[in-house]
Amino acid sequence: MSRDLHHTDIDFYNFVKVQIAEFDLQLEIVWLIKALSFVENEMWQGLWVSSTDGSYDVPRHHWRRDNTLAATSGTMARRAYMRLLHITPLRIYFSYLGAESAGGLDATRRAALERRLGRLSRLPASSAANVECAGVKLNMLRMKNVFASRSDVVNRITAHYKAQLMEQIYTFVFSADILGQPLSLVTNLGTGVHDFFHEPAKGFFASPEAFVTGVRKGTSSLVKHSVGGVANTLQKTTGGVGTGLSLMTFDDRYQQERHRDRAHERAKDVGDGLLLGARDFAAGLFHGITGLVVEPVRGAMDDGVSGLGKGVVRGVLGVAVKPVVGVFDAVSRTSEGVRNATLQRPDSIRMRPPRIIDADEVVRPYDIHIDEGRYFAFRLGIGEYQWHCDVSERRCVVCTTTHVALLGIHRSAGEFADVWRVPLHRLSGDRLLVERTGRRPSSSSSSTTTSTGGGTILLISSEERMYRIPVEDDAVLAFVFEQISLAIAADNQRRVQLRRAANRV
């Protein structure tokens, strides 16, 4: 870049080239709600200031230190001259994930979404509105001898890409789960048919052996893409129907648990699909039958007589609807396994945990350890994060304000799953034991004895169920034991304070 001394308000660029590699853009409904809230609250207050009489707001960069409005005419705007501006073609794979991607929406987030979108909030929040891998190709932009202000250049670029996005709006519509992703089905069938004819033809002009290999490859591609495409459409359709039916149960706990299970466990092959499908069917049947008793009791405990009536209605609806949801989930899981086994799509691996913004909506400096723990707690839906610690190469303990959980983690693959989780109110400090390697279980008083082999922390719940935390290092053993003891004590104290406050009321 160079600047003429006689024209200090003009920037000269000989050649400007922008090149962006293709990438995946995934949006989640919970992230969108947090982003909208942040923009409305923090950014508006930070970027805009009120006029002296408070009658209107102006951008902060238009406000001088002496509280007078700065000149904003076009003559004062800096201009730029570019001999050549070149933006290479851009390929984006867009995915939108509704509430199912984040374990469902709680009451606060659903209220925030309804406040911004009104009656339309049900559509983006449901998994029926999901869009998966909608490929958008944006052509290159090439402009010569550009002489304009920076805002004018940005407006030209925006108009160029906006027009192309409007021309490809069909890719978003036909990639939606609510339609079974017909665009993906057509693409897979087209790829299979193309390979079926192209591979043998390519080998025909090389050698007889290459022709035979081409026939084999083409036939295999046709079968895989046909079966995988149909299985993908069936999985999306049945999953959407199951999600729609689950809304008829009016059971928020059941919906969130179902969403969380479907979000965290994917069928990698046919065996996984059959196993998860059988489990989902059994879960629907179990929740439907037990809901006849559990829902009225839970409603009576929450809202008394009126809650009892609502619980009876939820129980009756659940026994009729939840098993049907289980059937659709079983078909969806099996189809998912068939699709992943045939198409063999490479999974995207998260390189680092995402930044989690707390309820106070303050953006803090990124800390990979803390944000990893917050990500675990957020995905599992087990309360506000307190601490987490690796107890072995593939095991991690996470403690929140309400739960203790043992996770199985595989960081290189970006995967984790909860081995078990237990609420803190079901634990007691005097039933927290340590089993040293080669020794009998001991109480907390002997947890500080020296040893080099680690041990196992035993958590015995009020239902007499035992939860084990195998630890390989003594220092980690002492730390985890002490922190869990403090968490149980803090939870007990908090519950006592709540009971006292309720009694005063």
Side-chain angles (χ1 to χ4, degrees):
M1 181 185 73
S2 62
R3 181 176 299 164
D4 193 335
L5 295 178
H6 298 288
H7 302 280
T8 57
D9 62 331
I10 300 177
D11 295 331
F12 291 88
Y13 301 90
N14 186 43
F15 177 62
V16 178
K17 180 179 180 180
V18 180
Q19 183 174 3
I20 303 176
E22 67 177 40
F23 62 92
D24 294 337
L25 176 62
Q26 297 184 359
L27 299 180
E28 295 182 0
I29 183 64
V30 176
W31 181 88
L32 287 177
I33 295 175
K34 286 183 174 292
L36 287 174
S37 178
F38 174 76
V39 170
E40 289 181 358
N41 298 332
E42 301 294 338
M43 291 189 66
W44 182 270
Q45 297 174 6
L47 300 180
W48 293 73
V49 296
S50 299
S51 59
T52 53
D53 58 357
S55 58
Y56 58 91
D57 292 337
V58 295
R60 183 177 293 274
H61 65 277
H62 289 170
W63 199 261
R64 292 175 176 170
R65 293 183 179 179
D66 57 356
N67 291 334
T68 60
L69 192 63
T72 58
S73 62
T75 57
M76 298 299 295
R78 180 172 296 279
R79 291 169 295 176
Y81 174 77
M82 290 173 280
R83 296 184 186 275
L84 178 62
L85 171 63
H86 180 78
I87 303 178
T88 60
L90 180 61
R91 184 81 175 183
I92 305 174
Y93 295 94
F94 176 80
S95 299
Y96 172 80
L97 305 177
E100 185 170 343
S101 64
L105 292 179
D106 55 24
T108 303
R109 289 169 179 159
R110 188 172 295 279
L113 184 63
E114 291 177 352
R115 186 171 61 253
R116 292 173 173 86
L117 300 180
R119 295 180 179 179
L120 297 177
S121 62
R122 291 289 180 178
L123 178 61
S126 67
S127 61
N130 287 358
V131 175
E132 182 177 353
C133 291
V136 178
K137 183 179 180 180
L138 304 177
N139 295 329
M140 73 172 184
L141 175 62
R142 187 182 182 91
M143 296 189 298
K144 295 182 178 180
N145 299 320
V146 180
F147 181 62
S149 65
R150 296 180 180 179
S151 60
D152 290 338
V153 174
V154 172
N155 290 336
R156 293 185 190 181
I157 297 174
T158 303
H160 169 76
Y161 288 121
K162 183 178 180 180
Q164 293 193 48
L165 286 175
M166 295 303 297
E167 293 176 357
Q168 302 183 58
I169 193 67
Y170 69 92
T171 60
F172 298 96
V173 176
F174 292 111
S175 297
D177 286 4
I178 192 172
L179 301 178
Q181 293 189 359
L183 184 61
S184 176
L185 175 61
V186 173
T187 302
N188 283 312
L189 292 177
T191 301
V193 173
H194 173 269
D195 292 344
F196 181 74
F197 291 101
H198 177 71
E199 292 294 338
K202 184 174 65 175
F204 177 79
F205 295 99
S207 65
E209 293 80 3
F211 174 74
V212 175
T213 303
V215 171
R216 178 177 56 81
K217 290 182 178 180
T219 304
S220 176
S221 176
L222 177 63
V223 173
K224 287 183 178 180
H225 284 89
S226 299
V227 174
V230 173
N232 178 70
T233 300
L234 182 62
Q235 187 259 333
K236 298 300 181 182
T237 304
T238 54
V241 173
T243 300
L245 289 175
S246 67
L247 298 176
M248 299 175 58
T249 63
F250 300 100
D251 187 349
D252 293 338
R253 291 185 178 89
Y254 167 71
Q255 293 174 27
Q256 291 183 12
E257 182 179 349
R258 174 181 175 273
H259 292 161
R260 187 164 50 246
D261 291 341
R262 291 176 62 85
H264 293 315
E265 295 181 320
R266 303 292 184 182
K268 299 180 180 180
D269 50 35
V270 180
D272 283 349
L274 293 173
L275 182 62
L276 294 176
R279 190 204 63 180
D280 288 350
F281 173 73
L285 193 62
F286 173 79
H287 286 296
I289 296 175
T290 58
L292 287 172
V293 178
V294 173
E295 291 301 327
V297 173
R298 184 178 294 165
M301 294 176 62
D302 293 339
D303 298 326
V305 179
S306 62
L308 175 62
K310 296 177 182 178
V312 171
V313 174
R314 288 197 301 266
V316 173
L317 290 175
V319 75
V321 176
K322 290 178 182 178
V324 180
V325 175
V327 172
F328 280 100
D329 286 346
V331 177
S332 177
R333 289 290 198 176
T334 305
S335 303
E336 182 184 32
V338 174
R339 180 199 65 185
N340 293 339
T342 52
L343 297 182
Q344 295 179 348
R345 298 178 178 179
D347 295 331
S348 57
I349 299 177
R350 182 179 291 278
M351 301 304 296
R352 73 169 199 179
R355 182 194 302 271
I356 303 297
I357 300 178
D358 293 329
D360 57 8
E361 298 182 352
V362 175
V363 181
R364 295 179 174 83
Y366 182 80
D367 187 300
I368 187 170
H369 178 77
I370 295 177
D371 281 288
E372 180 187 52
R374 290 177 176 175
Y375 180 66
F376 290 155
F378 172 74
R379 280 301 187 182
L380 296 176
I382 55 175
E384 184 178 349
Y385 166 79
Q386 297 297 308
W387 57 270
H388 75 290
C389 179
D390 290 349
V391 295
S392 64
E393 184 178 357
R394 292 292 181 88
R395 289 289 186 267
C396 175
V397 176
V398 179
C399 183
T400 68
T401 53
T402 58
H403 286 74
V404 175
L406 180 66
L407 307 183
I409 57 175
H410 189 191
R411 287 190 173 91
S412 60
E415 300 176 351
F416 74 93
D418 56 328
V419 179
W420 53 257
R421 68 179 78 173
V422 57
L424 290 173
H425 67 82
R426 295 182 181 177
L427 302 176
S428 175
D430 56 355
R431 307 196 72 183
L432 185 62
L433 308 177
V434 172
E435 184 181 37
R436 292 289 185 177
T437 302
R439 300 186 183 182
R440 298 176 61 85
S442 60
S443 62
S444 59
S445 60
S446 61
S447 63
T448 58
T449 58
T450 59
S451 176
T452 58
T456 301
I457 299 177
L458 308 178
L459 290 73
I460 305 176
S461 67
S462 56
E463 296 89 355
E464 298 299 328
R465 181 177 177 181
M466 184 176 296
Y467 300 88
R468 296 177 176 270
I469 304 178
V471 185
E472 297 180 349
D473 183 78
D474 278 346
V476 175
L477 179 70
F479 171 80
V480 173
F481 185 92
E482 180 183 4
Q483 294 300 318
I484 293 179
S485 301
L486 294 175
I488 295 174
D491 180 74
N492 292 336
Q493 184 179 3
R494 182 168 55 251
R495 296 177 68 84
V496 169
Q497 293 175 353
L498 292 175
R499 284 195 295 267
R500 291 177 179 175
N503 292 334
R504 285 197 298 269
V505 174

